Amino acid sequence: QVLKYCDHLHGKWYFSEVRAIFSRRYLLQNVAIEIFLASRTSILFAFPDQATVKKVIKALPRVGVGIKYGIPQTRRASMMSPRQLMRSSNMTQKWQRREISNFEYLMFLNTIAGRTYNDLNQYPVFPWVLTNYETKELDLSLPSNYRDLSKPIGALNPSRRAYFEERFQSWEHDSIPPFHYGTHYSTAAFVLHWMIRVEPMTTMFLALQGGKFDYPNRLFSSIALSWKNCQRDTSDVKELIPEFFFLPEMLVNNNRYRLGRQEDGSAVGDVELPPWASSPEEFIRINRMALESEFVSCQLHQWIDLIFGYKQKGPEAVRATNVFYYLTYEGSVDLDTITDPVMRDAIENQIRSFGQTPSQLLMEPHPPRSSAMHLSPMMFSSIPDDVCMTIKFPSNSPICHISANTYPQLPLPSVVTVTTGQQFAVNRWNTNYAASVQSPSYVDTPQAQAANQPLSMDPVLSQASNSSNPTLRRHLGDNFSQKLTIRSNCFVTTVDSRFLVACGFWDNSFRVFSTETAKIVQIVFGHYGVVTCLSRSECNITSDCYIASGSADCTVLLWHWNARTQTIVGEGEAPAPRATLTGHEQPVTAVVISAELGLVVSGSYCGPVLVHTTFGDLLRSLEAPNGFSSPENIAMSREGVIVVNYERGHIAAFTINGKRLRHESHNDNLQCLLLSRDGEYLMTGGDKRIVEVWRTFNLALLYAFPACESSVRSLALSHDQKFLLAGLANGSIVIFHIDFNRWHHEFQQRY
């Protein structure tokens, strides 16, 4: 039945925003669901019983568990048990083939096993990976610096392990089965312990402790000390939480809470870092590097066995010293059969405070990850030449934009280029191209040579001479404003290259063109000044995305691209912006948008760089270093690293939360910049004609490709990040071979 009006409405969520629905447990009972929304939030609902869960799922949109895990989007998927989700998904294979990182795979396992940010008792669990928090330098190639992931935290120290096993063997109780550990590796109290410096956890911590912080000695004050306690204290077997791998803010007492003084008289403030980390950002980065290292990759499956797998319970758990108090396991108690309310309350409270073991995902050993050598032997053979090929267009006009839409699943993998003369090209990408390390002299015929080139010129332009004016089929018209310099960020394409969106028109519109015919499909009005820049959020072929437009009217508008109708849509007939982002006082020069992070970052002429949410709320302004005045290009990675290029080659890197990591002044007038998918590497090109590769977090120059024939105006990476494409001012495209592994610390140590 439909509720027309509700008193005290708590919140409302649109069906159109629902992206995934999971069955969940609450207090170890299967009575909850979690709904994930397009706005990147999720809500957990606990119902009276399982029958209600089924009814609710039937009434909600049929989205399954989303599109990420390779499981069909059906209502059945939303009702699957964690074990069924594990069986049906393709994520284990992806992890084995190294298509996803260790971090992403652990997040996946936590998510399907019922761990959620919405219930502190079932918070995601991550492993301790390092054991050395003492030395000034940390060598990530030394096995002795890593934890043995085949043992639970409680069994790492042999004398403590003996104590727990002795307890298990000598346990005698009528109704409570024997256990090794009376405390758990993940409870609400531990999550609040780690996150005490960050709201809303601080407030929750105070509520739990009756309005006061705990004894200073018991608070999380030092990483080395926390590790020591997990090794020697018989009531401390804590594992970590995901924030240890991405959130430096948890280590800083930004709000200046008075956390008290320790026994030695020192005040508890920021968390004390190991000597090898000079800042919270560096600690998180190194901890994350360790998580993604070879040592962890080849034993992570053993830790998964303990937490999510076959060593979680039963005789294997006993053998592995991995048995916890019985009320932490699902199926140990059925609350519906307990009629005495006092007894039921007591058990619920015990479950609440003892911790809950994740749902068991596997009954057999988890397969190991394939070795890096096994997957890309190319990495270990001789490196192909830097320059792979060059294509020169007849027009000689500077190539100011490149989009590499090279996914092999596409009907026509291609690279779209646009010149400052408003001519575009849809160039064919050869997905079968393999870089030959031998010299190509054995290929005699030009046809055979072309077959072994990654890119071939748009046939409409390459055969231009023999038909009556084919360039019309590739021209964007003459309505561009003369006041605007056409740059790389004046264009975006759809993933399949079928549509090109362009801005900079004198009538303050931006336009959607069909690349097949060069006809205008849609003219979108919304700004009161010339539209100066565009950006598109990440998406796959079938999904909708956002398009952001920045303008000389000092605003950024957010638009919704509908993948089904292949147009920009609004609530009614005419396209209307989803949100208006304000705060700039000068024309907007650059904008980037990430739907995954829910953020829009924009810069204006001689003005600030602002970070908004995709709902239009202003979050913060990124403080430019002294002497850096006008932001020109902005890039943002999936991890939330933001790089801004200011006028005359000044570059600064920021975290997602506005902390400036580093700034550098480069003696080149940079025209374009690009980040690798994980944000580790930055590529730049400019008037000095050189494409360079930097490490993002410290802006250290790693590599310079051979100089090009003229100024570099645009850059793009192929989907597999093996080719870097540069558009030049003389109308050429240069394709470089790039392999980010060669700058990776492990690769460099080994080879």
Side-chain angles (χ1 to χ4, degrees):
Q1 89 202 33
V2 180
L3 302 175
K4 281 277 188 288
Y5 174 77
C6 307
D7 259 346
H8 314 302
L9 186 69
H10 169 70
K12 65 174 184 179
W13 300 278
Y14 291 97
F15 271 32
S16 58
E17 299 275 296
V18 175
R19 291 292 175 269
I21 301 169
F22 285 86
S23 300
R24 289 284 185 241
R25 298 180 310 175
Y26 182 65
L27 298 177
L28 298 178
Q29 312 300 303
N30 295 309
V31 295
I33 62 168
E34 188 166 19
I35 299 178
F36 288 81
L37 303 173
S39 58
R40 304 159 28 270
T41 47
S42 63
I43 335 132
L44 186 73
F45 293 100
F47 295 108
D49 50 48
Q50 215 173 346
T52 313
V53 169
K54 287 194 169 144
K55 275 188 200 144
V56 171
I57 288 177
K58 281 211 169 71
L60 287 169
R62 199 182 71 222
V63 291
V65 292
I67 54 176
K68 266 193 169 154
Y69 306 146
I71 298 171
Q73 290 189 278
T74 59
R75 294 203 170 91
R76 222 189 98 239
S78 294
M79 297 190 196
M80 280 184 185
S81 70
R83 202 171 294 162
Q84 287 168 319
L85 288 172
M86 181 75 181
R87 262 207 304 272
S88 321
S89 117
N90 58 8
M91 294 291 273
T92 304
Q93 291 80 1
K94 279 184 154 173
W95 174 71
Q96 286 179 282
R97 292 195 301 261
R98 293 175 183 250
E99 289 166 23
I100 55 174
S101 64
N102 291 338
F103 183 90
E104 286 172 288
Y105 188 54
L106 288 175
M107 273 320 291
F108 157 73
L109 294 173
N110 273 291
T111 302
I112 65 167
R115 310 308 282 190
T116 162
Y117 288 110
N118 284 318
D119 182 357
L120 295 179
N121 290 301
Q122 307 185 72
Y123 211 74
V125 190
F126 268 62
W128 283 95
V129 288
L130 291 168
T131 56
N132 174 354
Y133 299 97
E134 310 292 334
T135 59
K136 209 157 168 43
E137 297 288 315
L138 179 71
D139 182 350
L140 285 178
S141 64
L142 271 188
S144 58
N145 285 332
Y146 291 85
R147 160 196 174 177
D148 176 355
L149 285 164
S150 66
K151 298 187 177 78
I153 277 289
L156 289 173
N157 171 346
S159 59
R160 191 166 71 144
R161 178 180 191 154
Y163 165 84
F164 289 132
E165 291 189 329
E166 162 64 22
R167 172 202 277 176
F168 187 90
Q169 252 88 57
S170 59
W171 183 258
E172 287 173 6
H173 193 285
D174 302 339
S175 58
I176 297 176
F179 55 87
H180 294 112
Y181 313 111
T183 62
H184 206 256
Y185 48 77
S186 166
T187 67
F190 297 164
V191 175
L192 296 175
H193 168 87
W194 293 130
M195 299 281 285
I196 185 169
R197 291 165 178 78
V198 181
E199 281 293 13
M201 309 301 187
T202 313
T203 303
M204 291 165 149
F205 187 100
L206 289 170
L208 187 78
Q209 294 285 344
K212 294 191 290 290
F213 288 117
D214 203 358
Y215 289 109
N217 283 16
R218 280 197 223 146
L219 294 177
F220 173 35
S221 60
S222 140
I223 289 167
L225 188 64
S226 295
W227 170 248
K228 273 202 191 92
N229 287 340
C230 288
Q231 295 313 292
R232 57 186 183 198
D233 182 341
T234 52
S235 62
D236 185 348
V237 290
K238 286 191 215 39
E239 289 280 12
L240 300 183
I241 54 177
E243 282 79 359
F244 267 88
F245 301 92
F246 69 79
L247 191 73
E249 284 77 9
M250 67 176 281
L251 304 170
V252 186
N253 185 15
N254 243 342
N255 297 324
R256 308 261 156 70
Y257 296 120
R258 291 205 293 275
L259 299 169
R261 294 188 172 279
Q262 288 177 307
E263 280 166 8
D264 62 4
S266 59
V268 180
D270 297 347
V271 175
E272 196 183 315
L273 301 172
W276 45 257
S278 60
S279 67
E281 286 74 22
E282 187 175 24
F283 171 79
I284 296 289
R285 190 178 57 77
I286 291 174
N287 206 31
R288 178 72 171 261
M289 273 164 77
L291 178 69
E292 301 301 342
S293 69
E294 252 341 277
F295 292 113
V296 172
S297 285
C298 52
Q299 14 161 17
L300 190 59
H301 63 284
Q302 297 181 295
W303 184 81
I304 294 168
D305 288 335
L306 293 166
I307 307 291
F308 302 103
Y310 80 114
K311 293 184 177 174
Q312 194 197 74
K313 40 192 176 188
E316 291 293 345
V318 179
R319 231 174 269 144
T321 324
N322 195 34
V323 181
F324 293 84
Y325 189 71
Y326 81 107
L327 278 182
T328 64
Y329 296 97
E330 71 180 317
S332 59
V333 55
D334 181 3
L335 289 177
D336 293 340
T337 58
I338 301 168
T339 46
D340 176 6
V342 179
M343 181 67 173
R344 188 182 163 123
D345 260 11
I347 289 186
E348 279 191 8
N349 279 328
Q350 268 188 310
I351 294 172
R352 263 198 200 94
S353 49
F354 268 112
Q356 297 172 32
T357 302
S359 294
Q360 194 172 17
L361 299 177
L362 283 166
M363 306 300 279
E364 64 282 345
H366 188 291
R369 199 176 199 195
S370 312
S371 82
M373 172 75 197
H374 180 80
L375 281 168
S376 56
M378 265 293 293
M379 246 170 70
F380 307 92
S381 57
S382 61
I383 295 173
D385 289 342
D386 276 338
V387 178
C388 168
M389 73 175 291
T390 306
I391 285 187
K392 177 94 172 63
F393 285 96
S395 77
N396 296 340
S397 178
I399 294 182
C400 59
H401 176 85
I402 299 188
S403 289
N405 299 316
T406 57
Y407 288 100
Q409 299 85 348
L410 288 167
L412 190 70
S414 55
V415 171
V416 177
T417 53
V418 188
T419 69
T420 50
Q422 282 86 47
Q423 191 181 61
F424 68 93
V426 183
N427 309 287
R428 308 270 168 92
W429 182 259
N430 173 9
T431 49
N432 302 320
Y433 171 78
S436 58
V437 182
Q438 307 95 331
S439 68
S441 57
Y442 62 88
V443 183
D444 302 329
T445 59
Q447 285 84 14
Q449 225 164 347
N452 206 28
Q453 296 281 13
L455 193 67
S456 54
M457 192 187 295
D458 185 334
V460 173
L461 297 176
S462 60
Q463 293 144 19
S465 51
N466 51 16
S467 76
S468 59
N469 194 359
T471 47
L472 287 178
R473 275 187 56 198
R474 293 289 182 260
H475 203 269
L476 300 174
D478 304 314
N479 295 318
F480 289 86
S481 161
Q482 300 304 303
K483 292 183 189 150
L484 185 71
T485 312
I486 299 292
R487 301 187 308 147
S488 184
N489 62 9
C490 292
F491 307 93
V492 295
T493 62
T494 54
V495 186
D496 55 10
S497 301
R498 284 183 53 198
F499 298 94
L500 171 68
V501 188
C503 68
F505 297 98
W506 61 264
D507 63 0
N508 304 342
S509 71
F510 65 92
R511 304 180 178 192
V512 183
F513 292 85
S514 155
T515 52
E516 178 57 31
T517 60
K519 288 204 165 74
I520 299 172
V521 181
Q522 200 175 19
I523 300 184
V524 183
F525 291 101
H527 284 288
Y528 293 93
V530 170
V531 181
T532 50
C533 49
L534 295 170
S535 169
R536 190 200 78 199
S537 64
E538 333 77 350
C539 60
N540 60 24
I541 306 162
T542 54
S543 71
D544 293 8
C545 59
Y546 286 115
I547 289 178
S549 58
S551 162
D553 68 9
C554 311
T555 67
V556 173
L557 296 180
L558 227 55
W559 308 83
H560 176 183
W561 171 269
N562 182 318
R564 205 172 40 82
T565 61
Q566 302 194 303
T567 52
I568 287 172
V569 292
E571 297 296 323
E573 288 295 292
R578 279 300 172 93
T580 303
L581 280 47
T582 56
H584 289 292
E585 294 170 358
Q586 290 293 329
V588 177
T589 52
V591 62
V592 287
I593 175 165
S594 163
E596 222 168 84
L597 298 168
L599 294 179
V600 185
V601 184
S602 57
S604 54
Y605 177 72
C606 289
V609 173
L610 301 180
V611 183
H612 287 83
T613 70
T614 41
F615 293 114
D617 303 318
L618 176 60
L619 291 177
R620 60 179 54 82
S621 164
L622 304 180
E623 190 93 3
N626 281 344
F628 288 33
S629 63
S630 198
E632 292 183 349
N633 294 297
I634 304 175
M636 175 163 59
S637 77
R638 286 170 46 182
E639 297 286 325
V641 174
I642 298 165
V643 178
V644 183
N645 152 225
Y646 297 85
E647 82 300 342
R648 294 193 309 281
H650 294 321
I651 301 186
F654 301 87
T655 69
I656 193 168
N657 290 324
K659 171 102 191 269
R660 191 168 76 233
L661 294 169
R662 181 98 197 187
H663 61 277
E664 278 298 328
S665 293
H666 197 36
N667 60 354
D668 185 1
N669 183 30
L670 296 178
Q671 297 275 0
C672 45
L673 73 150
L674 181 65
L675 283 169
S676 63
R677 195 170 299 130
D678 57 7
E680 292 280 316
Y681 303 98
L682 166 73
M683 289 131 285
T684 57
D687 293 345
K688 287 258 164 97
R689 317 198 317 254
I690 297 178
V691 174
E692 292 171 305
V693 182
W694 314 57
R695 201 179 295 291
T696 314
F697 76 91
N698 59 359
L699 294 180
L701 260 177
L702 297 173
Y703 195 70
F705 283 102
C708 300
E709 291 170 9
S710 66
S711 160
V712 182
R713 293 299 175 82
S714 49
L715 287 170
L717 269 175
S718 63
H719 71 282
D720 55 8
Q721 305 201 102
K722 293 201 169 104
F723 300 93
L724 177 60
L725 296 88
L728 308 186
N730 67 354
S732 306
I733 305 176
V734 180
I735 301 181
F736 298 106
H737 285 294
I738 192 165
D739 180 0
F740 292 112
N741 286 313
R742 61 199 268 195
W743 302 295
H744 190 283
H745 66 105
E746 288 185 341
F747 182 81
Q748 288 184 319
Q749 275 153 352
R750 271 203 214 134
Y751 313 104

